[in-house]
Amino acid sequence: MDGLRLNFRIILCVALLPAAIPTASAAGSLTQMAQASSLPDTIPAGEEKMAKTRALELGAKLLQGKSPLKPFDIYLVGFHPMKDSPEDQMEAHHYCHQVNEDFAQCVLFDDNTEEANLNGIEYIISEKLFAALPEAERKYWHPHNGEILTGQLVAPGIPKAAEKELMKGKMNSYGKTWHVWNTGYEGNPGDKMPLGVPMLGWSFNRDGEAIPGLVEKRDKKLKLNSSEERRRRADLEQFARPQSGVDDLKGKLARPTKDIRGVMDRKSAGKVD
């Protein structure tokens, strides 16, 4: 991504060195911290696995590779309102692969446990790649500055210095998110199977857009504090440029909202896409 000149693995290793955490057991403790979550609310339809199915899984685990999955080593947690029905809002667990400086791809789950449901995908691109998109395509890509500056988008379990550098690299970036399975919105039960058409996910770009309690519930579950994170990231505001899509949910929620410092729509700023 723009501004991210170091590979994420290098950043993480450097951040870990002062704390002297080079061992596998220490890495395991970080994983446990990130996975301190409850079971997902939606259990897929179907019968319990048979013994032969479990045996086949074990054999596949021993004999087959998982090469395409190995690079998905960045874990992010944020929130997505649906663009066409913004009161439908969900917690989204992203497992991402930073393909190059300008492009990342993520698989989305409704939780971070082994029982979590895969319910979507997200592609993340830099400001440079977004600027090269056709006008008709840009309406599918949501801005990220609001999520970053408010502390809503987090990378649990890694040192704060590494997390902040990661978020700095995501400033001015955009995401294209499709949720292919309604596994439950805040206050609404999910479907037992993936039904209907994919839903285009969006981002929060004003204080008050999130359903009351949504962010606090995530913070309590993962032992986070978005308010403190927001204060730690205040200096990232200097890197924020006006983005497309910031005003797309403006006035569409049944709550008063407030602008976020540093988060501005390109049209409001007089920018021409």
Side-chain angles (χ1 to χ4, degrees):
M1 312 302 296
D2 284 352
L4 187 59
R5 299 305 177 195
L6 295 175
N7 182 278
F8 177 75
R9 295 184 185 87
I10 297 175
I11 296 171
L12 180 55
C13 289
V14 171
L16 285 173
L17 283 175
I21 315 180
T23 65
S25 60
S29 67
L30 291 177
T31 301
Q32 291 172 1
M33 183 190 307
Q35 293 183 339
S37 177
S38 59
L39 295 177
D41 294 329
T42 299
I43 306 299
E47 299 294 331
E48 187 176 348
K49 292 180 184 178
M50 299 175 64
K52 67 176 183 179
T53 301
R54 296 183 184 278
L56 287 170
E57 287 178 338
L58 179 59
K61 184 176 182 180
L62 294 173
L63 300 174
Q64 293 183 316
K66 299 179 182 178
S67 297
L69 298 178
K70 290 179 180 178
F72 286 78
D73 52 8
I74 300 175
Y75 172 48
L76 305 171
V77 187
F79 303 93
H80 291 149
M82 300 302 104
K83 188 176 185 182
D84 293 334
S85 54
E87 293 289 2
D88 292 330
Q89 304 176 2
M90 66 174 65
E91 184 179 304
H93 297 257
H94 307 55
Y95 292 85
C96 304
H97 170 206
Q98 190 71 45
V99 179
N100 57 46
E101 288 295 311
D102 296 287
F103 183 83
Q105 51 192 5
C106 310
V107 287
L108 306 180
F109 292 83
D110 57 3
D111 212 323
N112 61 7
T113 66
E114 292 182 359
E115 295 81 8
N117 298 304
L118 190 160
N119 62 2
I121 58 171
E122 179 168 351
Y123 298 102
I124 299 174
I125 60 175
S126 65
E127 183 181 37
K128 179 178 71 175
L129 292 188
F130 180 83
L133 294 176
E135 181 65 30
E137 171 65 21
R138 296 182 184 184
K139 64 183 179 181
Y140 299 110
W141 295 82
H142 62 265
H144 283 148
N145 286 352
E147 296 181 276
I148 294 170
L149 293 177
T150 59
Q152 292 176 359
L153 183 64
V154 295
I158 66 173
K160 291 300 179 183
E163 182 185 44
K164 188 171 182 179
E165 190 66 24
L166 174 62
M167 294 302 163
K168 179 181 177 182
K170 302 296 183 190
M171 288 294 294
N172 305 304
S173 67
Y174 292 83
K176 185 177 185 178
T177 298
W178 291 104
H179 281 280
V180 296
W181 182 5
N182 169 19
T183 55
Y185 301 117
E186 184 65 14
N188 296 293
D191 299 322
K192 294 296 184 181
M193 294 195 303
L195 304 175
V197 299
M199 302 164 286
L200 181 64
W202 210 246
S203 55
F204 295 132
N205 294 287
R206 284 179 171 77
D207 287 328
E209 288 185 339
I211 294 173
L214 178 67
V215 178
E216 293 78 5
K217 179 181 176 182
R218 188 279 308 268
D219 285 1
K220 181 178 180 181
K221 182 170 63 175
L222 296 180
K223 296 180 174 59
L224 303 171
N225 189 320
S226 295
S227 297
E228 288 185 4
E229 195 59 50
R230 183 173 190 161
R231 288 190 288 272
R232 277 193 289 267
R233 298 180 189 177
D235 60 332
L236 296 183
E237 181 187 332
Q238 63 183 303
F239 304 109
R241 291 184 285 273
Q243 290 195 284
S244 295
V246 168
D247 287 347
D248 284 20
L249 301 187
K250 186 177 181 179
K252 296 183 178 180
L253 294 131
R255 292 175 295 283
T257 61
K258 183 180 178 181
D259 290 349
I260 300 167
R261 283 179 55 89
V263 179
M264 182 177 293
D265 195 281
R266 285 180 59 84
K267 294 177 181 177
S268 300
K271 303 290 185 180
V272 178
D273 287 333

